[in-house]
Amino acid sequence: MKLFTQISEALKYIDGHLDQTITLEILSEQFFLSPFYFHRLFSIVVGKPLAAYIRDRRILYACRLLCDTDKSILDIALDCGFHSSPAFSRTFKVSQGISPSQYRTQGYQPVILTVDELIMKFTNRLKGGIFLNPNIIKRGKIIIAGTCGDGSKTEDVWKAFEKLCGEKPLENTLSSSGYEIRVYEEDKCTVYVGYSVSDKDNIDPAYTIFELPASKYAAFDVYVSNGYESENNAMQQWLATNSEGYLERLYDHKSHYCIEYYDERFNGDETGSIVEIWIPIEKAP
């Protein structure tokens, strides 16, 4: 696929220029694409924005230098594209949970996939309209303010939410990403749609509040234009066969539920539009 070839070349360019300034404009010019279109393609294949990928890649290579060389923290920071030791140390600690010097003394050995291995991973994840190998993510408690209704009439529930937002705008939303939570009880499905908010104290009572507990999720990327036909079987297959021993986590220990998460990668039914589906998981006891 031409798409994967272009992204493969972009990833190789990034690896070869980690000590230099790498911008969306520079990369898009390499492939004669508009910055907007290139970033969209990159996010589709890699599963994260360009800036986040470059940051994570720089930190990985910094980890290797910390383990395999006696270079100073400042020299490693500069080799990996950071402009100062403090900036590098702050980013490193957010990513790894410890400082660069602590990482070095504890003797960790990072695993760095080659570009070819990364591309193989991306292509192997795609089957029909869904990436089979999910990202495992952690989220704290999420408060959703929105509307709810019959799960078989989701479009109507979204329309009701949009109308309510027009009449009584939410002022304490955390982002413009949308949530669609489907809760299953026996043969009944209830859907909750809305935005995440910082608290529920000042929400107009016209909104329905739904609280998601802190949890770990298996996050599947689904290509909307390819349809949703294969998603349920693929996710159930992963739950039944994953090597990490994850099981589905129930809501209030009794109800199955899943979350559809709509961020900047979602663009309706257009080609390349992605929605994430989160399955709550927990380790087997």
Side-chain angles (χ1 to χ4, degrees), residues 55-64 66 88-100 102-104 106 108-111:
R55 177 200 63 217
D56 293 346
R57 202 68 171 167
R58 282 175 165 153
I59 292 297
L60 271 178
Y61 276 95
C63 289
R64 173 174 288 177
L66 287 166
F88 166 63
S89 295
R90 285 194 299 270
T91 304
F92 190 95
K93 189 166 186 178
V94 169
S95 172
Q96 301 298 313
I98 57 177
S99 69
Q102 289 173 320
Y103 189 96
R104 169 172 272 168
Q106 294 190 25
Y108 292 122
Q109 286 293 330
V111 176

Side-chain angles (χ1 to χ4, degrees), residues 133-136 216 218 238-247 281-284:
N133 298 327
N135 294 315
I136 305 301
K216 186 177 288 187
W238 180 84
L239 281 169
T241 61
N242 75 88
S243 59
E244 294 86 354
Y246 287 117
L247 302 175
I281 54 175
E282 60 187 357
K283 288 284 190 177

Side-chain angles (χ1 to χ4, degrees), residues 10-257:
L11 297 183
K12 291 176 182 177
Y13 180 92
I14 291 169
D15 274 2
H17 297 81
L18 290 175
D19 61 336
Q20 302 172 26
T21 299
I22 307 172
T23 66
L24 175 59
E25 288 70 25
I26 289 173
L27 281 172
S28 59
E29 286 178 6
Q30 296 281 326
F31 302 100
F32 306 103
L33 298 171
S34 72
F36 171 81
Y37 187 62
F38 176 81
H39 189 268
R40 188 173 172 190
L41 292 183
F42 190 95
S43 298
I44 288 170
V45 174
V46 178
K48 65 176 68 175
L50 174 65
Y53 175 84
I54 294 173
R55 177 200 63 217
D56 293 346
R57 202 68 171 167
R58 282 175 165 153
I59 292 297
L60 271 178
Y61 276 95
C63 289
R64 173 174 288 177
L65 291 174
L66 287 166
C67 292
D68 297 344
T69 75
D70 295 325
K71 287 186 174 185
S72 69
I73 301 297
L74 176 59
D75 285 342
I76 291 175
L78 297 176
D79 285 347
C80 295
F82 294 89
H83 299 300
S84 70
S85 179
F88 166 63
S89 295
R90 285 194 299 270
T91 304
F92 190 95
K93 189 166 186 178
V94 169
S95 172
Q96 301 298 313
I98 57 177
S99 69
S101 58
Q102 289 173 320
Y103 189 96
R104 169 172 272 168
T105 58
Q106 294 190 25
Y108 292 122
Q109 286 293 330
V111 176
I112 304 179
L113 298 181
T114 66
V115 168
D116 289 339
E117 288 171 332
L118 285 171
I119 291 297
M120 184 178 295
K121 176 183 176 183
F122 299 147
T123 54
N124 285 345
R125 287 175 61 203
L126 185 62
K127 180 179 180 181
I130 186 170
F131 275 126
L132 281 181
N133 298 327
N135 294 315
I136 305 301
I137 61 175
K138 293 180 180 179
R139 294 291 183 268
K141 184 176 74 172
I142 302 172
I143 303 172
I144 304 298
T147 53
C148 71
D150 188 335
S152 65
K153 299 177 181 178
T154 305
E155 184 176 353
D156 292 340
V157 180
W158 273 109
K159 287 179 178 178
F161 173 66
E162 292 168 0
K163 180 181 178 182
L164 181 57
C165 285
E167 296 171 349
K168 303 176 185 293
L170 281 169
E171 297 181 356
N172 59 342
T173 56
L174 295 176
S175 76
S176 59
S177 298
Y179 289 79
E180 180 178 307
I181 304 113
R182 308 184 74 83
V183 181
Y184 300 89
E185 298 178 275
E186 297 181 351
D187 296 330
K188 179 183 178 182
C189 173
T190 303
V191 64
Y192 299 82
V193 308
Y195 294 145
S196 62
V197 294
S198 57
D199 63 76
K200 58 184 179 181
D201 296 334
N202 299 310
I203 301 297
D204 190 286
Y207 285 92
T208 298
I209 301 296
F210 188 87
E211 296 188 37
L212 291 165
S215 184
K216 186 177 288 187
Y217 298 95
F220 295 85
D221 294 339
V222 176
Y223 282 83
V224 178
S225 62
N226 289 1
Y228 288 76
E229 289 79 4
S230 64
E231 68 178 46
N232 289 331
N233 287 339
M235 289 185 283
Q236 290 302 318
Q237 176 186 341
W238 180 84
L239 281 169
T241 61
N242 75 88
S243 59
E244 294 86 354
Y246 287 117
L247 302 175
E248 183 180 4
R249 176 180 177 176
L250 301 181
Y251 186 77
D252 286 342
H253 305 288
K254 61 180 180 180
S255 302
H256 297 276
Y257 73 104

